[in-house]
Amino acid sequence: MIKFEDVGKKYPNGFEGLKHVNLTIEQGEFVAIIGLSGAGKSTLIRTINRMHDVTSGKLTVDGVDVMSLSGKQLRRFRRKIGMIFQSFNLITRTTVIKNVLTAFVPDMPWFRSTFGIYTKEEKLKALECLDKVGILDKAFVRADQLSGGQQQRVALARTLAQNPQIILADEPVAALDPVTAKQVMDDFKRINEDMNISVLINIHHVDLALNYATRVIGIREGEIVYDGPASEATQEVLDRIYNGRVDKEGNVQKEVG
């Protein structure tokens, strides 16, 4: 369980990224976080794994106060939380399987990590994770030879190798074409349902958020303005989240002027 209790985040320049956030997210939920650029979507998910520190309130994960962690405790805590980025963050000049194997490095003795020595069990686990996202056949291909969608699947397989309880995804399909974006979202949905992994996705595609997530959190200027089932996110709700700049097809209109 992830619990935000009156959480705020203020940056050194005085900007408030989050204001009085109160949320409870149960294990196994698929949550999409939507809102305009700069509304606080990325800030919200990045506080969960302490990429950003909260400045007020309390944030707990499975009863653990996130801000109380440091050193080895914090590193161990982060191992339970996978993070997917828009830019994939792969080592593009090496093979797909070697990218997935990097998931084991934090838990390896220094000599094995230094020389890239992996056990048979680790290699089998990496191949299993690639199979779960449908690109086992690309295991020994260089990452830079893959399409954008395939690279995002490698990043997802690498995250699965951690055995996470939670996956945070920061605009994971923003750089993909519509067809590929849906394929990647299918992977997230299947992993969520089959493995009971909590998935929190910060996403700017409103239609994908409504079609794939079971719960939608709308954020505007750092405040939660909607939290409920995707099926109940009406046009009126979307207008409140996006300040009237989203059409009936789910396209966000750019601000003029």
Side-chain angles (χ1 to χ4, degrees):
M1 178 193 289
I2 303 166
K3 191 169 186 178
F4 291 78
E5 299 177 78
D6 199 32
V7 167
K9 167 63 178 177
K10 182 177 285 188
Y11 290 95
N13 64 1
F15 177 75
E16 289 188 271
L18 298 176
K19 305 171 187 175
H20 306 290
V21 171
N22 290 282
L23 292 170
T24 299
I25 298 166
E26 301 289 347
Q27 184 62 36
E29 286 197 82
F30 192 124
V31 181
I33 302 162
I34 63 174
L36 291 168
S37 178
K41 303 188 301 296
S42 292
T43 302
L44 182 69
I45 67 169
R46 290 176 184 226
T47 58
I48 295 170
N49 63 356
R50 277 281 300 278
M51 287 184 71
H52 291 331
D53 290 344
V54 303
T55 48
S56 61
K58 187 176 183 180
L59 171 57
T60 57
V61 177
D62 292 336
V64 176
D65 185 343
V66 174
M67 289 302 296
S68 72
L69 301 173
S70 61
K72 289 183 179 180
Q73 286 182 323
L74 179 58
R75 289 192 292 273
R76 193 177 302 116
F77 166 77
R78 283 174 170 162
R79 294 291 289 155
K80 299 188 297 182
I81 303 176
M83 186 80 190
I84 304 289
F85 299 91
Q86 176 182 338
S87 57
F88 319 134
N89 285 13
L90 301 181
I91 306 170
T92 55
R93 299 183 68 180
T94 192
T95 62
V96 164
I97 191 170
K98 285 184 178 178
N99 271 278
V100 178
L101 286 167
T102 61
F104 302 112
V105 169
D107 297 324
M108 289 166 54
W110 70 268
F111 67 92
R112 284 214 291 127
S113 61
T114 300
F115 296 103
I117 302 170
Y118 300 97
T119 66
K120 178 181 178 181
E121 290 74 20
E122 288 165 344
K123 292 175 183 177
L124 289 173
K125 176 69 173 179
L127 292 171
E128 177 188 342
C129 292
L130 287 169
D131 191 34
K132 286 179 180 176
V133 296
I135 54 169
L136 179 60
D137 60 322
K138 303 295 184 182
F140 299 100
V141 175
R142 270 181 36 153
D144 58 6
Q145 300 301 308
L146 303 182
S147 68
Q150 290 170 333
Q151 289 190 51
Q152 193 58 287
R153 285 190 167 108
V154 176
L156 184 51
R158 180 182 58 196
T159 294
L160 290 178
Q162 295 178 215
N163 293 318
Q165 296 175 5
I166 300 165
I167 292 178
L168 308 175
D170 195 359
E171 298 285 9
V173 297
L176 307 179
D177 64 81
V179 173
T180 306
K182 289 180 180 178
Q183 292 171 345
V184 172
M185 290 296 289
D186 284 338
D187 290 331
F188 278 111
K189 188 68 172 177
R190 186 177 64 256
I191 286 164
N192 166 253
E193 293 177 345
D194 293 350
M195 303 177 71
N196 196 41
I197 295 173
S198 301
V199 175
L200 283 77
I201 291 186
N202 159 18
I203 188 167
H204 75 268
H205 295 285
V206 179
D207 58 331
L208 293 180
L210 300 182
N211 288 334
Y212 283 91
T214 52
R215 175 180 175 187
V216 168
I217 294 171
I219 188 166
R220 179 177 172 183
E221 296 180 351
E223 296 182 291
I224 304 300
V225 295
Y226 177 76
D227 179 11
S231 59
E232 295 179 13
T234 62
Q235 185 66 39
E236 181 181 352
V237 167
L238 296 178
D239 285 342
R240 189 161 75 246
I241 297 168
Y242 288 97
N243 197 24
R245 300 216 309 270
V246 62
D247 62 27
K248 293 181 180 180
E249 284 71 44
N251 300 307
V252 181
Q253 309 302 309
K254 291 184 178 179
E255 191 171 9
V256 179

